[in-house]
Each structure stands twice: as structure tokens, then as C-alpha cells.
Amino acid sequence: MDSVLRDTVTAVQANALLPLYALPAAVRRRLAGAPIQIDGNTLDPDVQLLLRVDNLLPHTTKTDAATARTHFRNLCKLIPGTPAPLLRVTDLTVRGAAGQLEARLYIPRTPESAGSGSASDRGAAARSGRGGLLVFFHGGGWVVGDLGTHDALCRAIAADAGIRVLSVDYRLAPEAPAPTAAEDAIAAFTWAVDHAEDLGTDPALVAVGGDSAGGNLAAVVAQQTVRRGLPQPALQVLLYPAVDLVARRPSRDLFSEGFLLTEEDIIWYRDHYTPDPTLRPDPIVSPLRAEDLTGLPPTYLTTAGFDPLRDEGLEYATALKTAGNNLTHAHHKSLPHGYANLLTVPGTTRTAHTHLTNHLRATLH
């Protein structure tokens, strides 16, 4: 069976795995192998198939950041599927903590895109409150990832939620260690609120979000804007976030290998982002360790059953709720870390994406 799967992988690498998932479901299940069950959860079979594919692809040991970034970009080219149709995608720059940052604005094909015309149209759209904006920070352990690696995800969110998405290319470690990315994120979000009308949205409907390390940055933005008296997000969207760079929880052992994010990855990313261990307990990098979690914006937080970061995400959800915050927690027990980017994969990943975009549509319109 492995030889059949290897031949299939070779044939589809140039087309983002679409032909693999066009196979009948029964064939995909046979290729995926025996079900994987850990800690009472059963891995989604279509995701399991992708993991088998991943194991047949050449892997690069993380030695230097440049090589890791190239490898991550190449992997991301396999999974985006057909780009979601949008009205327009525009590259621009936004304010960072120490200069301009590259960014990309995604405008959906919906009535809410009426603000994409003249300056007067944009102002009218913003004043009418139609169509929110999600300021998005990509994952990648604060070391890899860029506007391109998360382009398909941002397109899909914009198209399916009917909102604008502003993806921000914050500075990466190790060239820019913590808290540089966090300060860039705070500055970029504040800039987006200040320029909401230019971006075709309502300043009161600017949300912040991200996946994994980007979820960490979004959580930091939500906390720090409150504590610093800055404009606050209408919503924080935390997709399987890394929220504690200090403690190790059981899920790190349960899912240390074989589920897209490994224990080796976590340590490598952490050491590059926070080479000074004394910074790790600071909420600027470990938002779970904030002493006061009261008064935060409404939260949409997801966790995944096969994610080494699962337990810290669950703990953060509990802490937010205990502090009296408005929390929507979506736990996808059959999915691994990084599932939001697996847009080619049918089934549960699509259900999770729909749950997210429905919440965004309901909250930011």
C-alpha cells in the first residue's frame, strides 16, 4: 500500500493534493491505514491520510531559520487548494513597532465590499457598520511563515465570513527575538483601527486573530491593548494558540511526534523566539501567565484533540471563562495542530472552518 500511496503523492505534488482527495472515500480510508486513537480521540481519517503523505515527503531537520522557512513555504504550496474568489487583494504597508511592515488586504465579494470604491464610499461603509476587519497574524513559531504561506487561509476566511482580512508580516526571530513580534502586532492592530475607514471598515468592528504563534500574538494584542489603554479588538480569534512558553503539559508527550507539530519543533521555535529564558514567564510572550485576565474582548478560541499545545489552550479557555470573559470555545477532538491551513482536506477540517467563519460573520456584521 505504501508504494501505491508514494506514487499518488508524486503525481499530486504540483497540484496541492487535490487529486488525492478526489479519490472515493473508501479508497482514501484504505490508504490512510488503521484508525489512530489516542487519549479517547480518533484522528480524522482524511487528516490521517495527509499525515501519511507528509511522512513520505522529504523532511528538513531544523538547523537554520532560512532553510526552515524555505521548507515551510514548499510544504504550504501542497495544501491550499483552489483560491477562494475575492473582489480584490491588495498589498500595502502598515505601522510596526519600529517602521513599516508588509501586509495584505483581502476584500470579499459581498455587499460589505461596497466600501472598496472611492474615499467617500469607504467612509460611508465604515459609518454604516457593514463588514468587519480581521487583523491576522500567521503561525510558524515566530520563526517561519509569511504572507504567502497563509494566503489561502486568509482568502478563505474573507470569502466565507464576508469580512475583510488584513494579514500582517511581522518581524521574525531569531533576527528579531521576543518581544519584537508582539510589539509589531500591537502597533499593527492599533494602526488598523486608526485607519479603519481607509480600509473600508468600522473602527468598532476590527478584530484580531491568528493561528498557533499568530494566535499567541493575537492573545497578547488583546491583553496589552486593554492594559495600555489602546483601542481594543471587537473580537480575538485564537486558533490553537501557543500561550505558555514555560510549563510542559501532558499533551506535549501524547502528541510529541507524527502530528505536524513535534516536540522538537516546539523547543526549536521557543529557543529562537525567546533566547533569554527569563522573558518566557512574561505575559508579553506567555499570555496564559497574566495575573489579571478580566475585561478582555470577546474570544473565539479553538483547540485540537491531536495537538501538543492542546492542554495549554484548554487551560487558557478555562482561565478566560473564570475571569468572566465572553468565550466561544470550539474543541475539534479529531484534528491536529495546524488544521486551519488544510483547506484541501475534506470532512472535519471543513466543518471547523465553517464554524469559524460563521462566528466571524455573526460577530463582525
Side-chain angles (χ1 to χ4, degrees):
M1 188 66 69
D2 280 347
S3 62
V4 175
L5 183 56
R6 193 182 301 276
D7 290 342
T8 304
V9 171
T10 300
V12 304
Q13 281 183 7
N15 196 26
L17 301 179
L18 285 173
L20 183 65
Y21 286 103
L23 294 171
V27 174
R28 300 200 307 269
R29 287 179 182 271
R30 288 199 299 273
L31 291 173
I36 295 176
Q37 296 179 326
I38 300 176
D39 202 27
N41 296 331
T42 301
L43 186 65
D44 178 271
D46 281 315
V47 171
Q48 184 174 327
L49 175 58
L50 179 67
L51 295 179
R52 292 199 68 193
V53 170
D54 184 61
N55 289 334
L56 295 173
L57 296 174
H59 279 220
T60 300
T61 301
K62 287 184 169 62
T63 54
D64 64 273
T67 301
R69 288 166 188 162
T70 298
H71 181 63
F72 187 63
R73 290 189 195 103
N74 290 337
L75 286 178
C76 288
K77 292 176 182 177
L78 300 175
I79 58 176
T82 304
L86 297 173
L87 179 68
R88 187 166 67 249
V89 177
T90 302
D91 288 333
L92 66 157
T93 59
V94 303
R95 182 181 65 230
Q100 296 298 107
L101 303 172
E102 298 297 321
R104 188 169 294 167
L105 178 65
Y106 300 85
I107 302 175
R109 285 180 171 179
T110 66
E112 288 74 29
S113 66
S116 61
S118 66
S120 60
D121 289 339
R122 292 196 302 269
R127 287 189 296 273
S128 71
R130 292 183 300 169
L133 171 74
L134 175 66
V135 180
F136 186 86
F137 302 109
H138 65 77
W142 310 277
V143 180
V144 304
D146 53 36
L147 298 180
T149 60
H150 286 63
D151 180 77
L153 175 58
C154 290
R155 287 175 181 268
I157 291 174
D160 297 334
I163 63 170
R164 297 177 182 225
V165 176
L166 180 68
S167 181
V168 177
D169 206 15
Y170 56 89
R171 287 174 290 172
L172 299 175
E175 297 88 345
T180 301
E183 295 295 349
D184 274 349
I186 295 165
F189 173 80
T190 305
W191 180 93
V193 176
D194 291 344
H195 293 79
E197 292 199 11
D198 294 329
L199 297 169
T201 191
D202 185 333
L205 290 179
V206 180
V208 67
D211 66 310
S212 191
N216 167 283
L217 298 178
V220 169
V221 168
Q223 288 188 13
Q224 295 298 319
T225 52
V226 171
R227 306 305 170 226
R228 300 182 188 186
L230 299 171
Q232 299 169 27
L235 173 74
Q236 59 172 331
V237 178
L238 314 180
L239 305 181
Y240 38 84
V243 289
D244 188 2
L245 277 65
V246 179
R248 179 187 175 88
R249 295 167 177 81
S251 58
R252 292 267 295 272
D253 293 317
L254 287 171
F255 312 108
S256 62
E257 296 288 340
F259 299 99
L260 298 180
L261 178 69
T262 68
E263 175 68 11
E264 179 185 4
D265 293 335
I266 292 171
I267 294 173
W268 190 84
Y269 289 137
R270 180 202 66 190
D271 290 350
H272 278 67
Y273 184 52
T274 55
D276 178 5
T278 64
L279 184 61
R280 291 171 191 164
D282 193 311
I284 199 76
V285 296
S286 293
L288 177 56
R289 294 184 169 265
E291 293 183 3
D292 183 6
L293 291 176
T294 60
L296 296 180
T299 303
Y300 180 90
L301 186 151
T302 73
T303 49
F306 287 80
D307 182 359
L309 302 184
R310 179 195 68 183
D311 290 353
E312 63 191 74
L314 292 173
E315 190 173 329
Y316 195 50
T318 298
L320 288 171
K321 191 170 183 178
T322 300
N325 296 290
N326 181 344
L327 171 70
T328 299
H329 176 209
H331 180 60
H332 303 293
K333 62 182 182 179
S334 66
L335 295 179
H337 188 87
Y339 71 78
N341 282 290
L342 308 181
L343 297 169
T344 304
V345 180
T348 311
T349 55
R350 296 302 304 176
T351 301
H353 175 77
T354 300
H355 191 276
L356 164 65
T357 54
N358 283 348
H359 188 85
L360 288 170
R361 182 180 291 275
T363 305
L364 297 180
H365 283 282

